[in-house]
């Protein structure tokens, strides 16, 4: 039995669960309203934590690759590096990109920076589809020109989004997503 492996898995799982609960609590504060616009953004502690963790993961991947390129040959280490480097590099890069997600929501529409598609915007009048995912905890909005925005429920101020959607998006377009949002498990509010 691999007791150290079991202990590290339990500790890692508990730490991950604790961080998720802390993020949900930090995101639950009512959003800041500036010039009539609501800002949706990850909490500061989350941005710092994910930014540092992502940079460390990405840095570790670079160091491991450098060690492979310039270090002594070791077949066992080669397997670990060729498995870990791409995974850590991608996870690090994705983590750092998530830090920059930010939306402004007002009576005209929603606009902001997404993690992977740069700056996007859509007017409420152009929204043709709204979905809510209980699994991913996000709203997915699609406009008539097929622009898609996903707003995570973990963004600070995200609890204002269903209210804004209910107010400005056509009721027949938003009804199913708002029902799914209201029917989500109680621990995810």
């Amino acid at each position: 039995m691999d007791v150290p492996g079991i202990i590290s898995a339990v500790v890692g799982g508990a730490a991950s669960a604790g961080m998720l609960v802390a993020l949900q609590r930090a995101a639950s504060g009512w959003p800041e309203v500036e010039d009539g616009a609501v800002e949706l953004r990850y909490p500061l502690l989350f941005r710092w934590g994910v930014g540092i963790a992502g940079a460390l993961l990405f840095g570790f991947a670079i160091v491991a690759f450098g060690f492979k390129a310039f270090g002594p040959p070791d077949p066992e280490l080669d397997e670990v590096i060729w498995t870990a480097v791409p995974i850590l590099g991608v996870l690090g890069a994705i983590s750092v990109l998530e830090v920059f997600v930010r939306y402004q929501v007002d009576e005209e529409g929603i606009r902001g920076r997404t993690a992977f598609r740069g700056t996007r915007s859509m007017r409420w009048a152009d929204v043709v589809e709204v979905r809510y995912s209980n699994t991913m905890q996000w709203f997915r909005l699609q406009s008539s020109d097929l622009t898609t925005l996903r707003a995570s429920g973990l963004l600070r101020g995200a609890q204002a989004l269903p209210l804004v959607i209910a107010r400005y998006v056509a009721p027949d377009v938003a009804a199913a997503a708002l029902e799914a949002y209201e029917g989500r498990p109680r621990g995810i509010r």
Side-chain angles (χ1 to χ4, degrees):
M1 180 186 296
D2 182 22
V3 174
I6 292 171
I7 291 172
S8 82
V10 169
V11 169
S16 297
M19 287 188 289
L20 184 58
V21 168
L23 174 60
Q24 287 177 333
R25 286 188 182 153
S28 67
W30 196 253
E32 305 236 350
V33 177
E34 188 175 304
D35 295 330
V38 175
E39 181 179 70
L40 307 180
R41 189 173 193 183
Y42 286 109
L44 183 62
L45 181 62
F46 175 79
R47 292 192 314 260
W48 273 99
V50 168
I52 290 169
L56 288 173
L57 286 173
F58 194 70
F60 177 75
I62 291 171
V63 168
F65 184 73
F67 186 72
K68 165 65 181 127
F70 302 110
D74 183 352
E76 288 181 19
L77 185 61
D78 288 353
E79 290 177 24
V80 171
I81 288 175
W82 289 117
T83 304
V85 167
I87 293 170
L88 294 177
V90 168
L91 287 175
I94 289 171
S95 298
V96 170
L97 288 174
E98 278 294 321
V99 170
F100 298 106
V101 171
R102 179 183 205 163
Y103 296 111
Q104 293 285 330
V105 179
D106 59 20
E107 66 274 354
E108 296 294 319
I110 182 170
R111 67 198 151 285
R113 178 154 180 14
T114 67
F116 303 106
R117 295 185 177 180
T119 302
R120 297 238 160 168
S121 65
M122 69 177 61
R123 295 174 353 148
W124 296 124
D126 296 335
V127 174
V128 295
E129 182 180 43
V130 180
R131 291 186 182 191
Y132 180 77
S133 170
N134 279 319
T135 305
M136 299 303 290
Q137 296 183 37
W138 66 31
F139 277 96
R140 180 184 172 276
L141 301 127
Q142 187 169 12
S143 68
S144 54
D145 67 356
L146 302 180
T147 298
T148 302
L149 283 172
R150 289 176 184 84
S152 171
L154 298 176
L155 295 168
R156 182 174 209 65
Q159 70 275 17
L161 194 55
L163 303 173
V164 173
I165 289 172
R167 184 171 187 177
Y168 296 115
V169 176
D172 59 321
V173 173
L178 294 172
E179 286 177 26
Y181 176 79
E182 287 304 318
R184 73 195 185 286
R186 291 280 181 218
I188 306 177
R189 289 187 185 239

